[in-house]
Amino acid sequence: MPKRIIYWFRNDLRLHDNEGFFKATQDAEEVIPVFVFDTRQFQQLDRLGFPKTGTFRAKFLLESVQNLQDNLRKKGGNLVIRTGKPEVVLSELAREYAAEAIYTSKEAAQEEADIETALSKKLKVDNVDFEVFWQSTLYHPRDLPFWVSRIPDTFTEFRKAVEKLTKIRPTFATPTVVRLPEGIEIGKIPEIYELILFSSLPVSDARGVLPFHGGETEGLRRLKNYFWDTDHLKVYKETRNGLLGEDYSSKFSAWLAYGCVSPRHIYEEVKRYEAQRGANESTYWLVFELLWRDYFRFITLKFGSRIFKVSGIQHNILQKWENNQERFQQWINGKTGVPFVDANMRELQLTGFMSNRGRQNVASFLAKDLHLNWTWGAAYFESQLVDYDVCSNWGNWNYVAGVGNDPRENRYFNIHTQATRYDEQGEYVKTWLPQLANVPAAKIHQVWNLSPAEQKTFGVQLGNDYPKAIVNGNKWLKR
Ligand SMILES: Cc1cc2nc3c(=O)[nH]c(=O)nc-3n(C[C@H](O)[C@H](O)[C@H](O)COP(=O)(O)OP(=O)(O)OC[C@H]3O[C@@H](n4cnc5c(N)ncnc54)[C@H](O)[C@@H]3O)c2cc1C
């Protein structure tokens, strides 16, 4: 039995169903849990003018790390905190504390995989073992009925095959005791301004769907609330396209992205709920959506860095995209003059969250109506979303931009149709664009057509209180 193992926490900030951490506590006499704030993740993207990680996500991460440290302390352990490049910091720690191995979770995307490779190289020369555990999906890639390189190009084909042929592995137990060696220097969780220069904690907006506090404890509380306390799971399929409030969908995404909650734990809770309160289409649908999450992870494994390129998974080098900063800023700031797009972009800017319906529409608008370089949109989401997940974000953007691997998924969103269907009364738009509060429901989703007299009556002057539309919105009315 090795005497000492370092467990490197990455996007698996939890103690329940954490195979790598569980095994570390079993395999070694002493375990040193470590989290490294990777400085590269917080750098400013000079070309685009925002940081790679924005303040909503940074706050959520800081809270998640704090909660993990608290939970480890309750088990007799602690969480060692460092800031720097993980591959350098961890190899030095292994030397300093004479660790015989480093265990960690395996990531799907290129940057993260490159760090694993660099760390593994450094450890080899010091004779330190390195073991990685895949633990971010419902289905384990080794259990899939096909090689990752042969994952079907359509989600439906993938889903049908795995639902029929693959079993979801059971969850791992939470370790009861963590034995930390004596004399370890713990370090300190940084302040947000030490990660993102000149930043401060974001102010919470009362209109936001949830306050989103990071950490395993809060994530499990949200699960209990959504499933057991309020029974919202029972009607998920009917409500999931909503736009306002905490109840229309699970809001699990941020906790899933940082691994505060395990998808297999959610699955087991769905099964327990079905056994106790009944199965229906809604209980199935939540697992169905988690399968989309799995799919984008496997697609990332299959296509590697192609998901980040403007030519996309399709390697479509013929399509031209515009790099127009002025239009991009109008999109970011919710100043396109298309209320449904602007309301969603304001929500994202002020809270770090946007519904799935909103994401599909604003992404389609950027790529298909403004013809802007879709990777800029994806990069802004990466910075701004509290629930940013590399595979789900870049994978979904590939699909909406029409450069994904499934040609049938190449859809165009008619923004007016979508707005009138999902925000019939204009309640959502009015929440985020209060200057349109007096515009009647029948006109709110085409304010660009308001006559000067109507503008006067409804107390909104186009070009002054609210922008004139930057596209011809009437193309959506000719269906
Ligand atoms: C352009 C675009 C970018 C996106 N970027 C992200 C991202 O960075 N991170 C992220 O977690 N999701 C992303 N999504 C997917 C989806 O919008 C969010 O997962 C969802 O809105 C989160 O809210 P929820 O947890 O209440 O979802 P629910 O409707 O309650 O769904 C439950 C869970 O299923 C998963 N899920 C649902 N829909 C999708 C989907 N289309 N793709 C992948 N997983 C899904 C999520 O983990 C979600 O938490 C993106 C979608 C689009 C169209």
Side-chain angles (χ1 to χ4, degrees):
M1 183 188 234
K3 189 168 163 17
R4 210 170 266 180
I5 290 178
I6 289 178
Y7 187 78
W8 172 29
F9 281 97
R10 306 174 82 188
N11 292 320
D12 58 337
L13 303 177
R14 62 172 183 268
L15 298 184
H16 73 278
D17 191 30
N18 189 326
E19 179 180 357
F21 185 62
F22 178 81
K23 293 230 164 108
T25 61
Q26 301 279 302
D27 290 355
E29 287 164 26
E30 294 170 329
V31 177
I32 309 175
V34 179
F35 184 84
V36 185
F37 287 91
D38 187 338
T39 38
R40 291 164 294 201
Q41 288 298 320
F42 301 92
Q43 276 164 2
Q44 187 77 4
L45 301 175
D46 287 332
R47 200 169 51 111
L48 298 176
F50 43 76
K52 193 166 158 63
T53 304
T55 53
F56 289 106
R57 190 149 59 87
K59 171 182 168 286
F60 193 91
L61 172 64
L62 288 165
E63 291 166 350
S64 301
V65 170
Q66 181 64 69
N67 180 246
L68 181 64
Q69 189 174 57
D70 294 345
N71 290 343
L72 280 163
R73 282 179 177 153
K74 285 181 199 151
K75 303 207 172 283
N78 209 330
L79 183 64
V80 172
I81 307 289
R82 294 290 185 271
T83 302
K85 291 182 179 162
E87 62 274 30
V88 176
V89 170
L90 286 154
S91 54
E92 284 171 3
L93 275 179
R95 245 185 224 181
E96 191 181 345
Y97 294 120
E100 286 168 53
I102 294 185
Y103 287 5
T104 194
S105 60
K106 178 143 192 62
E107 294 279 341
Q110 196 68 44
E111 264 175 27
E112 291 77 4
D114 288 347
I115 294 174
E116 282 161 30
T117 311
L119 176 60
S120 159
K121 266 191 197 155
K122 283 183 189 294
L123 296 178
K124 205 169 267 168
V125 290
D126 285 344
N127 219 7
V128 177
D129 289 341
F130 186 51
E131 219 174 302
V132 290
F133 297 82
W134 181 275
Q135 48 189 0
S136 59
T137 45
L138 276 181
Y139 290 95
H140 197 288
R142 257 189 241 123
D143 301 338
L144 295 177
F146 18 66
W147 298 109
V148 164
S149 59
R150 298 268 171 84
I151 300 258
D153 280 348
T154 68
F155 169 72
T156 309
E157 216 182 306
F158 162 80
R159 177 183 60 77
K160 285 186 177 157
V162 293
E163 281 180 343
K164 195 163 150 209
L165 299 168
T166 314
K167 280 220 156 27
I168 294 173
R169 296 183 182 185
T171 53
F172 281 81
T174 303
T176 45
V177 179
V178 180
R179 288 178 301 272
L180 185 79
E182 299 271 310
I184 302 279
E185 193 203 323
I186 299 302
K188 188 180 148 292
I189 296 177
E191 300 291 338
I192 197 162
Y193 55 78
E194 295 174 272
L195 295 175
I196 309 167
L197 282 185
F198 309 117
S199 72
S200 52
L201 288 171
V203 186
S204 105
D205 190 307
R207 295 168 292 180
V209 290
L210 265 189
F212 288 112
H213 294 302
E216 178 176 18
T217 308
E218 281 295 326
L220 294 176
R221 190 175 296 155
R222 172 66 190 167
L223 192 153
K224 179 175 170 290
N225 178 273
Y226 191 74
F227 283 16
W228 301 101
D229 301 344
T230 61
D231 265 329
H232 283 124
L233 176 59
K234 197 165 272 175
V235 289
Y236 169 71
K237 187 152 184 261
E238 289 94 72
T239 60
R240 71 193 181 90
N241 279 310
L243 301 163
L244 282 168
E246 67 173 273
D247 300 337
Y248 66 81
S249 66
S250 74
K251 314 293 186 308
F252 292 162
S253 50
W255 289 287
L256 278 163
Y258 273 122
C260 304
V261 175
S262 136
R264 288 191 305 217
H265 175 69
I266 299 178
Y267 175 77
E268 287 183 358
E269 285 290 287
V270 170
K271 292 291 136 194
R272 194 162 74 86
Y273 183 94
E274 288 179 336
Q276 292 184 19
R277 303 200 183 165
N280 65 14
E281 283 200 329
S282 284
T283 57
Y284 166 74
W285 214 263
L286 193 92
V287 178
F288 174 96
E289 292 298 345
L290 288 173
L291 256 183
W292 265 109
R293 183 176 171 275
D294 271 24
Y295 185 61
F296 284 125
R297 275 187 153 59
F298 300 139
I299 285 294
T300 304
L301 282 181
K302 178 173 172 180
F303 291 103
S305 55
R306 254 155 80 168
I307 64 162
F308 304 110
K309 298 202 170 123
V310 74
S311 50
I313 294 170
Q314 262 179 29
H315 198 49
N316 179 345
I317 48 171
L318 297 176
Q319 187 158 351
K320 297 282 170 257
W321 302 89
E322 286 179 31
N323 294 331
N324 182 330
Q325 264 294 350
E326 189 192 347
R327 286 277 180 265
F328 185 49
Q329 290 306 322
Q330 287 164 326
W331 179 80
I332 283 183
N333 293 312
K335 295 202 166 148
T336 68
V338 179
F340 194 57
V341 171
D342 292 345
N344 274 291
M345 294 307 294
R346 295 293 288 158
E347 181 185 5
L348 177 61
Q349 192 173 48
L350 295 171
T351 71
F353 190 79
M354 190 194 290
S355 68
N356 183 51
R357 188 52 42 195
R359 293 179 204 202
Q360 310 239 21
N361 275 275
V362 302
S364 169
F365 182 78
L366 177 126
K368 306 267 177 73
D369 291 303
L370 298 179
H371 310 289
L372 288 182
N373 183 335
W374 67 266
T375 65
W376 288 13
Y380 178 65
F381 269 33
E382 171 166 351
S383 176
Q384 196 65 16
L385 279 175
V386 66
D387 64 12
Y388 168 71
D389 171 300
V390 54
C391 309
S392 294
N393 188 57
W394 291 86
N396 270 292
W397 270 96
N398 265 265
Y399 274 66
V400 183
V403 294
N405 53 330
D406 179 359
R408 288 177 307 173
E409 286 291 330
N410 184 2
R411 283 181 293 161
Y412 172 72
F413 285 80
N414 177 321
I415 308 292
H416 183 263
T417 309
Q418 291 274 311
T420 47
R421 182 177 306 158
Y422 295 105
D423 185 32
E424 212 181 330
Q425 296 306 317
E427 214 187 322
Y428 175 73
V429 160
K430 289 181 186 187
T431 301
W432 293 102
L433 303 173
Q435 64 272 51
L436 301 181
N438 296 323
V439 181
K443 303 202 177 248
I444 193 137
H445 293 305
Q446 44 170 312
V447 285
W448 55 82
N449 284 329
L450 291 181
S451 68
E454 285 173 323
Q455 294 178 36
K456 213 167 173 198
T457 312
F458 307 140
V460 55
Q461 197 185 8
L462 295 181
N464 191 9
D465 308 313
Y466 185 68
K468 292 181 177 165
I470 61 171
V471 295
N472 174 12
N474 289 333
K475 67 182 170 182
W476 296 315
L477 306 178
K478 302 182 210 135
R479 268 182 253 160

